[in-house]
Structure formats: structure tokens, C-alpha cells
Amino acid sequence: MTELPKKEQLYELIRANPFISQQDLATQLGLSRSAVANYIATLVRERRILGRAYVLPDQRPILCIGASNLDRKLRTAAKLVLGTSNPATQDESFGGVARNIAENLARLGAPTALITAVGNDASGRALLAHAEDAGIDTRGALRLDGVSSGTYTAVLDRDGEMVVALADMALNDKLSPAFLATRQQQRASAALVVADLNLPRDTISTLLDDAVRDGVPLVLVAVSEPKMVRLPHNLLGLRLLIVNEGELAVRVGRSLESDAAIGAACAEVQRQGVQDVIVTRGARGVMYTSPAGVMRLDAPAVDVVDVTGAGDAFAAAVCWSLHSGEADLGLACRRGLQLSAMTIECEQTVCPTLEPGHFDGLGTKLTESVLD
């Protein structure tokens, strides 16, 4: 068999590893760095790769940045009684907001990558192996020696509703602006960046600055009321912010007792620079900004099995719609509510039956109204 020309060999190496360095290419092909640079410039001109990240035009991923951790769920066998021991059952699974969103996206068939921090321990290795098996690119992950991977422990009542949750997420502070700088090529070549607020505040600021500079849409997903402090005041560059009612109240510094108050708070946050805001409201559905004003969308009725992961499923469906070029945020939210309901009705954090084509024909039967 005739050996491929050097340019085609180089192209195949890039296909196998889009983050390969020019020096590694030169070493493997027996070329000089300047020769490699010339071949890459030719491939860019031919539009066979896109820019410095060597990304193939049909493979620009949704890049999720944030937490991965081991989830522990404890469900009480009877009504929870505080201050004493309660009989319970336990199960473990893989979680973390960014990781959960990434797995939902990958199961939906979207090209997906994950930048996260894990310990170089059994849990960390299992987390990354599970993500890779789901089709998530984890080559950008930070692996740290001498530390434990993150954990999230949720206590659920016998009906599946969360009573309290405990999160050990300090590892995510290692996802600093300096570390993200080492993943600049990967971030700049993404089609969409989705980050959770487990990241440090200065890292969130960096992502906002880069969204303005690189033109890559950025979605931020809140994770809790205490971590809203990590959201910078200036939100210029932010395509979408997803929060719940309590998190929005923390952001604007006042209680939100009515739909009108929530609508006014969304408008206030928009004046801080974000293009759109989605407010999740549990069983009462969502509210979201639109050119016609703040809209309300009812949630479908569900049989609750386990609410863990429902918000992440909602965010994933919305991001899937944005990545697909969907300009209608209402349709994106309808898809989000459908996937959230599907997740609530199964025991797993990410529904294992989710697959590409899930949204074919869905998202058209939920009640929507404009806020007066």
C-alpha cells in the first residue's frame, strides 16, 4: 500500500488528537516545526481544519466547564425525623452539574467535551472513564495528585424530594484562569461553552471576557444560592443565565414574591449585560426573557421518583437547542421541561434511555403565556 503524503498523515494525526502540539506532530512525522506549520497553514486555507485548535468543521463541540463528582443519595425509608437516626438506603452514581449536563448532551448526540478537575484516585479515574464511555471528550480535564475527587451527598425523603445536600467541591477552585489558559485552543474552538458556578469568580470573569473576545456563546448555570456570589456584576458577553427563583433573588438582593417581581428582576439582570435569563420554578415551570417580554411556561405533570439531576437535564436540553441553531428560547425551554420530567421519573441522575432523536416531535404541548 502506498504511504500517504506527509500532509495527509499530519491531517490524520490531527483527526485522532485535535489538541496535539506542533512539536509532537514534527516528531512523529520526522519533519521540522516549520514544515509542520506550513502544512497546517495549508489545511486551514483549504478549510479542512479551523484555526489553531485544528478542529474539523463538523466537529465543533459544546464545551462544559465545571464540577464532576461522586453522587451519594440517601433515601429515608419513612418520614424524616431530624435529630435522630433514620433508616435509609444508599446508592452512588456520577454527578456534578457540568458533568451531568455533558452526559445529557452526549446522549442526545451532540459533540461534547468536558473540562473538569478530579483527583488522581479511583473515583476520579472512574468519573473520567464513565464520561468517555458516554462519548464525552475528557482530554482537557485536570487530574490532581494527592487530593480526593469531589463528592455530593443528597438526603431524600421517602417521596424522592431532596431534604438537604452536602457538597465537597473545593477541588474546583483549581480550575483557575491560569489553568484555563492552558486550554485556550480547546475553548476558542468550541461551538458553545457551558459553565457552572462551582468555578471561582475570577474564572467566571475570564470566561466572560473570552466570550466577548472569541465570539463563542457562553451559558452560565447557577448551582446554589451561596455560590451566586461567584457571578460577577458585569455580565457582558453572556448569552444565557439559568437560575432558580432563590438564586435570582440573591442576585438582585431582594425577595421575589410575584411573577411581576421575577420579571422585573430578569430585566435588571439583563441590564447588567446578559442577553437572556431563564428562571426555573420546579413544578410551576419556568419563566424566560424574550423579545415579547418575560414569558411563563407551565411544567408537565410528573410522577416523582428522584429530583436529582432534573435541573441539569433542563439546562442540557436548552443548550442542545442553542447548539442546534434554535433561536426560539421558548422551544428550548419546552424541550428542557420535557427532559427534566423524564429525569425526575427515573432513579438515575441522567436518564439512561436518553438517545439522539429524543426531541423529534416534542416540545409543542406545554402551556405558555406572556407576563402581564
Side-chain angles (χ1 to χ4, degrees), residues 6-7 10-11 14 20-23 25-26 29 31 33-55:
K6 290 293 186 183
K7 185 179 77 171
L10 181 144
Y11 179 70
I14 289 172
I20 191 170
S21 69
Q22 289 193 14
Q23 184 57 58
L25 288 168
L29 295 173
L31 298 171
R33 282 283 300 274
S34 60
V36 167
N38 286 335
Y39 281 132
I40 289 173
T42 299
L43 291 170
V44 170
R45 287 196 298 271
E46 294 173 352
R47 303 298 294 170
R48 296 177 66 188
I49 60 176
L50 304 179
R52 295 178 59 228
Y54 320 137
V55 176

CSV table of all heavy atoms in Angstrom, one decimal, residues 6-7 10-11 14 20-23 25-26 29 31 33-55:
chain,number,residue,atom,x,y,z
A,6,LYS,N,2.9,13.4,3.4
A,6,LYS,CA,3.1,13.9,4.7
A,6,LYS,C,1.9,14.8,5.2
A,6,LYS,O,1.5,14.7,6.4
A,6,LYS,CB,4.4,14.7,4.8
A,6,LYS,CG,5.6,13.8,4.7
A,6,LYS,CD,5.8,12.9,5.9
A,6,LYS,CE,7.1,12.2,5.9
A,6,LYS,NZ,7.3,11.3,7.0
A,7,LYS,N,1.3,15.6,4.3
A,7,LYS,CA,0.2,16.4,4.7
A,7,LYS,C,-1.0,15.6,5.1
A,7,LYS,O,-1.6,15.9,6.1
A,7,LYS,CB,-0.2,17.4,3.5
A,7,LYS,CG,-1.2,18.4,3.9
A,7,LYS,CD,-1.6,19.3,2.8
A,7,LYS,CE,-2.5,18.6,1.8
A,7,LYS,NZ,-3.1,19.5,0.8
A,10,LEU,N,-0.3,14.1,8.5
A,10,LEU,CA,-0.5,15.1,9.5
A,10,LEU,C,-2.0,15.3,9.8
A,10,LEU,O,-2.4,15.4,11.0
A,10,LEU,CB,0.2,16.4,9.1
A,10,LEU,CG,0.1,17.5,10.0
A,10,LEU,CD1,1.4,18.3,10.0
A,10,LEU,CD2,-1.0,18.5,9.7
A,11,TYR,N,-2.8,15.3,8.7
A,11,TYR,CA,-4.2,15.5,8.9
A,11,TYR,C,-4.8,14.4,9.7
A,11,TYR,O,-5.7,14.6,10.6
A,11,TYR,CB,-4.9,15.6,7.5
A,11,TYR,CG,-6.4,15.8,7.5
A,11,TYR,CD1,-6.9,17.0,8.0
A,11,TYR,CD2,-7.2,14.8,7.1
A,11,TYR,CE1,-8.3,17.2,8.0
A,11,TYR,CE2,-8.6,15.0,7.2
A,11,TYR,CZ,-9.1,16.2,7.6
A,11,TYR,OH,-10.5,16.4,7.6
A,14,ILE,N,-4.1,14.8,13.4
A,14,ILE,CA,-4.9,15.8,14.0
A,14,ILE,C,-6.3,15.3,14.2
A,14,ILE,O,-7.0,15.6,15.2
A,14,ILE,CB,-4.9,17.1,13.1
A,14,ILE,CG1,-3.5,17.8,13.2
A,14,ILE,CG2,-6.0,18.0,13.5
A,14,ILE,CD1,-3.4,18.9,12.2
A,20,ILE,N,-3.1,17.9,19.6
A,20,ILE,CA,-1.7,17.5,19.5
A,20,ILE,C,-0.9,18.8,19.2
A,20,ILE,O,-1.3,19.7,18.5
A,20,ILE,CB,-1.5,16.5,18.4
A,20,ILE,CG1,-0.1,15.9,18.4
A,20,ILE,CG2,-1.9,17.0,17.0
A,20,ILE,CD1,0.0,14.7,17.5
A,21,SER,N,0.3,18.9,19.8
A,21,SER,CA,1.2,20.0,19.6
A,21,SER,C,1.9,19.9,18.3
A,21,SER,O,2.1,18.8,17.7
A,21,SER,CB,2.2,20.2,20.7
A,21,SER,OG,3.1,19.1,20.7
A,22,GLN,N,2.4,21.1,17.8
A,22,GLN,CA,3.2,21.0,16.5
A,22,GLN,C,4.5,20.3,16.7
A,22,GLN,O,5.0,19.6,15.8
A,22,GLN,CB,3.5,22.5,16.1
A,22,GLN,CG,2.3,23.2,15.5
A,22,GLN,CD,2.6,24.5,14.8
A,22,GLN,OE1,3.8,24.7,14.5
A,22,GLN,NE2,1.6,25.3,14.5
A,23,GLN,N,5.1,20.3,18.0
A,23,GLN,CA,6.3,19.6,18.2
A,23,GLN,C,6.1,18.1,18.1
A,23,GLN,O,6.9,17.3,17.6
A,23,GLN,CB,6.9,20.0,19.6
A,23,GLN,CG,8.2,19.3,19.9
A,23,GLN,CD,9.3,19.6,18.8
A,23,GLN,OE1,9.6,20.8,18.6
A,23,GLN,NE2,9.8,18.6,18.2
A,25,LEU,N,3.7,16.6,16.4
A,25,LEU,CA,3.5,16.3,15.0
A,25,LEU,C,4.8,16.2,14.3
A,25,LEU,O,5.1,15.3,13.5
A,25,LEU,CB,2.6,17.4,14.4
A,25,LEU,CG,1.2,17.4,14.7
A,25,LEU,CD1,0.5,18.7,14.2
A,25,LEU,CD2,0.4,16.2,14.1
A,26,ALA,N,5.7,17.1,14.6
A,26,ALA,CA,7.0,17.1,13.9
A,26,ALA,C,7.8,15.8,14.3
A,26,ALA,O,8.4,15.2,13.4
A,26,ALA,CB,7.8,18.4,14.3
A,29,LEU,N,6.2,12.6,12.6
A,29,LEU,CA,6.3,12.6,11.1
A,29,LEU,C,7.8,12.8,10.6
A,29,LEU,O,8.0,12.7,9.4
A,29,LEU,CB,5.4,13.7,10.5
A,29,LEU,CG,3.9,13.5,10.8
A,29,LEU,CD1,3.2,14.8,10.3
A,29,LEU,CD2,3.4,12.3,10.1
A,31,LEU,N,9.5,15.6,10.7
A,31,LEU,CA,9.6,16.9,10.0
A,31,LEU,C,10.1,18.0,10.9
A,31,LEU,O,10.1,17.8,12.1
A,31,LEU,CB,8.2,17.3,9.5
A,31,LEU,CG,7.5,16.4,8.5
A,31,LEU,CD1,6.0,16.8,8.3
A,31,LEU,CD2,8.2,16.4,7.1
A,33,ARG,N,9.7,21.8,12.6
A,33,ARG,CA,8.5,22.5,13.1
A,33,ARG,C,8.0,23.5,12.0
A,33,ARG,O,6.8,23.7,11.9
A,33,ARG,CB,8.9,23.4,14.3
A,33,ARG,CG,9.0,22.6,15.6
A,33,ARG,CD,7.6,22.3,16.2
A,33,ARG,NE,6.8,23.5,16.5
A,33,ARG,CZ,6.9,24.2,17.6
A,33,ARG,NH1,7.7,23.8,18.6
A,33,ARG,NH2,6.2,25.3,17.8
A,34,SER,N,8.9,24.0,11.2
A,34,SER,CA,8.4,25.0,10.2
A,34,SER,C,7.7,24.2,9.1
A,34,SER,O,6.7,24.8,8.6
A,34,SER,CB,9.6,25.7,9.6
A,34,SER,OG,10.6,24.8,9.0
A,35,ALA,N,8.1,23.0,8.8
A,35,ALA,CA,7.3,22.2,7.8
A,35,ALA,C,5.9,21.9,8.3
A,35,ALA,O,5.0,22.0,7.5
A,35,ALA,CB,8.1,21.0,7.4
A,36,VAL,N,5.8,21.5,9.6
A,36,VAL,CA,4.5,21.2,10.2
A,36,VAL,C,3.7,22.5,10.1
A,36,VAL,O,2.5,22.4,9.7
A,36,VAL,CB,4.7,20.8,11.6
A,36,VAL,CG1,3.3,20.8,12.3
A,36,VAL,CG2,5.3,19.4,11.6
A,37,ALA,N,4.2,23.7,10.4
A,37,ALA,CA,3.4,24.9,10.4
A,37,ALA,C,2.9,25.2,9.0
A,37,ALA,O,1.8,25.7,8.8
A,37,ALA,CB,4.3,26.0,10.9
A,38,ASN,N,3.8,24.9,8.0
A,38,ASN,CA,3.3,25.2,6.6
A,38,ASN,C,2.2,24.2,6.2
A,38,ASN,O,1.2,24.7,5.5
A,38,ASN,CB,4.5,25.0,5.7
A,38,ASN,CG,5.5,26.1,5.7
A,38,ASN,OD1,5.2,27.2,6.1
A,38,ASN,ND2,6.8,25.8,5.4
A,39,TYR,N,2.3,23.0,6.6
A,39,TYR,CA,1.2,22.0,6.3
A,39,TYR,C,-0.1,22.5,7.0
A,39,TYR,O,-1.2,22.4,6.4
A,39,TYR,CB,1.6,20.6,6.7
A,39,TYR,CG,2.5,19.9,5.8
A,39,TYR,CD1,3.6,19.3,6.2
A,39,TYR,CD2,2.2,19.9,4.4
A,39,TYR,CE1,4.5,18.6,5.4
A,39,TYR,CE2,3.1,19.2,3.5
A,39,TYR,CZ,4.2,18.6,4.0
A,39,TYR,OH,5.1,17.9,3.2
A,40,ILE,N,0.0,22.9,8.2
A,40,ILE,CA,-1.2,23.3,9.0
A,40,ILE,C,-1.8,24.5,8.3
A,40,ILE,O,-3.0,24.6,8.2
A,40,ILE,CB,-0.8,23.6,10.4
A,40,ILE,CG1,-0.6,22.3,11.2
A,40,ILE,CG2,-2.0,24.3,11.2
A,40,ILE,CD1,0.0,22.4,12.6
A,41,ALA,N,-1.0,25.5,7.9
A,41,ALA,CA,-1.5,26.7,7.2
A,41,ALA,C,-2.2,26.3,6.0
A,41,ALA,O,-3.3,26.9,5.6
A,41,ALA,CB,-0.3,27.6,6.9
A,42,THR,N,-1.7,25.3,5.2
A,42,THR,CA,-2.4,24.9,4.0
A,42,THR,C,-3.7,24.2,4.3
A,42,THR,O,-4.7,24.5,3.7
A,42,THR,CB,-1.5,23.8,3.3
A,42,THR,OG1,-0.3,24.4,2.9
A,42,THR,CG2,-2.2,23.3,2.0
A,43,LEU,N,-3.8,23.4,5.4
A,43,LEU,CA,-5.1,22.8,5.8
A,43,LEU,C,-6.1,23.8,6.2
A,43,LEU,O,-7.3,23.7,6.0
A,43,LEU,CB,-4.8,21.8,6.9
A,43,LEU,CG,-4.1,20.5,6.4
A,43,LEU,CD1,-3.7,19.7,7.7
A,43,LEU,CD2,-4.9,19.7,5.5
A,44,VAL,N,-5.6,24.9,6.9
A,44,VAL,CA,-6.5,26.0,7.3
A,44,VAL,C,-7.1,26.7,6.1
A,44,VAL,O,-8.3,27.0,6.0
A,44,VAL,CB,-5.8,26.9,8.2
A,44,VAL,CG1,-6.7,28.2,8.5
A,44,VAL,CG2,-5.5,26.3,9.6
A,45,ARG,N,-6.2,27.0,5.1
A,45,ARG,CA,-6.7,27.7,3.9
A,45,ARG,C,-7.7,26.8,3.1
A,45,ARG,O,-8.6,27.3,2.5
A,45,ARG,CB,-5.5,28.0,3.0
A,45,ARG,CG,-4.6,29.1,3.5
A,45,ARG,CD,-3.7,29.6,2.3
A,45,ARG,NE,-2.8,28.6,1.9
A,45,ARG,CZ,-1.6,28.3,2.4
A,45,ARG,NH1,-1.1,29.1,3.5
A,45,ARG,NH2,-0.8,27.4,1.9
A,46,GLU,N,-7.5,25.5,3.2
A,46,GLU,CA,-8.4,24.6,2.5
A,46,GLU,C,-9.7,24.3,3.3
A,46,GLU,O,-10.6,23.6,2.8
A,46,GLU,CB,-7.7,23.2,2.3
A,46,GLU,CG,-6.5,23.3,1.3
A,46,GLU,CD,-5.7,22.0,1.2
A,46,GLU,OE1,-6.0,21.1,2.0
A,46,GLU,OE2,-4.9,21.9,0.3
A,47,ARG,N,-9.8,25.0,4.5
A,47,ARG,CA,-10.9,24.8,5.4
A,47,ARG,C,-11.2,23.4,5.8
A,47,ARG,O,-12.3,23.0,6.2
A,47,ARG,CB,-12.2,25.4,4.7
A,47,ARG,CG,-12.2,26.8,4.3
A,47,ARG,CD,-11.9,27.7,5.4
A,47,ARG,NE,-13.1,27.7,6.4
A,47,ARG,CZ,-13.0,28.3,7.6
A,47,ARG,NH1,-11.9,28.9,8.0
A,47,ARG,NH2,-14.1,28.3,8.3
A,48,ARG,N,-10.1,22.6,5.8
A,48,ARG,CA,-10.2,21.2,6.3
A,48,ARG,C,-10.0,21.2,7.8
A,48,ARG,O,-10.4,20.2,8.5
A,48,ARG,CB,-9.1,20.3,5.6
A,48,ARG,CG,-9.4,20.2,4.1
A,48,ARG,CD,-8.3,19.4,3.5
A,48,ARG,NE,-8.3,18.0,3.9
A,48,ARG,CZ,-7.4,17.1,3.6
A,48,ARG,NH1,-6.3,17.5,2.8
A,48,ARG,NH2,-7.4,15.9,4.0
A,49,ILE,N,-9.4,22.2,8.4
A,49,ILE,CA,-9.3,22.4,9.8
A,49,ILE,C,-9.6,23.9,10.1
A,49,ILE,O,-9.5,24.7,9.2
A,49,ILE,CB,-8.0,22.0,10.5
A,49,ILE,CG1,-6.8,22.8,9.9
A,49,ILE,CG2,-7.8,20.5,10.3
A,49,ILE,CD1,-5.5,22.5,10.5
A,50,LEU,N,-10.0,24.2,11.3
A,50,LEU,CA,-10.3,25.6,11.7
A,50,LEU,C,-9.3,26.1,12.7
A,50,LEU,O,-9.3,25.7,13.9
A,50,LEU,CB,-11.7,25.7,12.3
A,50,LEU,CG,-12.9,25.1,11.4
A,50,LEU,CD1,-14.2,25.2,12.1
A,50,LEU,CD2,-12.9,25.8,10.1
A,51,GLY,N,-8.4,27.0,12.3
A,51,GLY,CA,-7.6,27.7,13.1
A,51,GLY,C,-6.6,26.9,14.0
A,51,GLY,O,-6.3,25.7,13.7
A,52,ARG,N,-6.1,27.5,15.0
A,52,ARG,CA,-5.0,26.9,15.8
A,52,ARG,C,-5.4,25.6,16.6
A,52,ARG,O,-4.6,24.9,17.0
A,52,ARG,CB,-4.5,27.9,16.9
A,52,ARG,CG,-3.9,29.2,16.2
A,52,ARG,CD,-3.4,30.1,17.3
A,52,ARG,NE,-2.5,29.5,18.2
A,52,ARG,CZ,-2.6,29.6,19.5
A,52,ARG,NH1,-3.6,30.3,20.1
A,52,ARG,NH2,-1.7,29.1,20.3
A,53,ALA,N,-6.7,25.5,16.8
A,53,ALA,CA,-7.1,24.3,17.6
A,53,ALA,C,-7.3,23.0,16.7
A,53,ALA,O,-7.5,21.9,17.2
A,53,ALA,CB,-8.5,24.5,18.3
A,54,TYR,N,-7.1,23.2,15.4
A,54,TYR,CA,-7.1,22.1,14.4
A,54,TYR,C,-8.5,21.4,14.5
A,54,TYR,O,-8.6,20.1,14.5
A,54,TYR,CB,-6.0,21.1,14.7
A,54,TYR,CG,-4.7,21.6,15.0
A,54,TYR,CD1,-3.9,21.1,16.0
A,54,TYR,CD2,-4.1,22.7,14.3
A,54,TYR,CE1,-2.6,21.6,16.3
A,54,TYR,CE2,-2.9,23.2,14.6
A,54,TYR,CZ,-2.2,22.7,15.6
A,54,TYR,OH,-0.9,23.2,15.9
A,55,VAL,N,-9.6,22.1,14.6
A,55,VAL,CA,-10.9,21.5,14.8
A,55,VAL,C,-11.5,21.3,13.4
A,55,VAL,O,-11.5,22.2,12.6
A,55,VAL,CB,-11.8,22.3,15.7
A,55,VAL,CG1,-13.2,21.7,15.7
A,55,VAL,CG2,-11.2,22.5,17.0
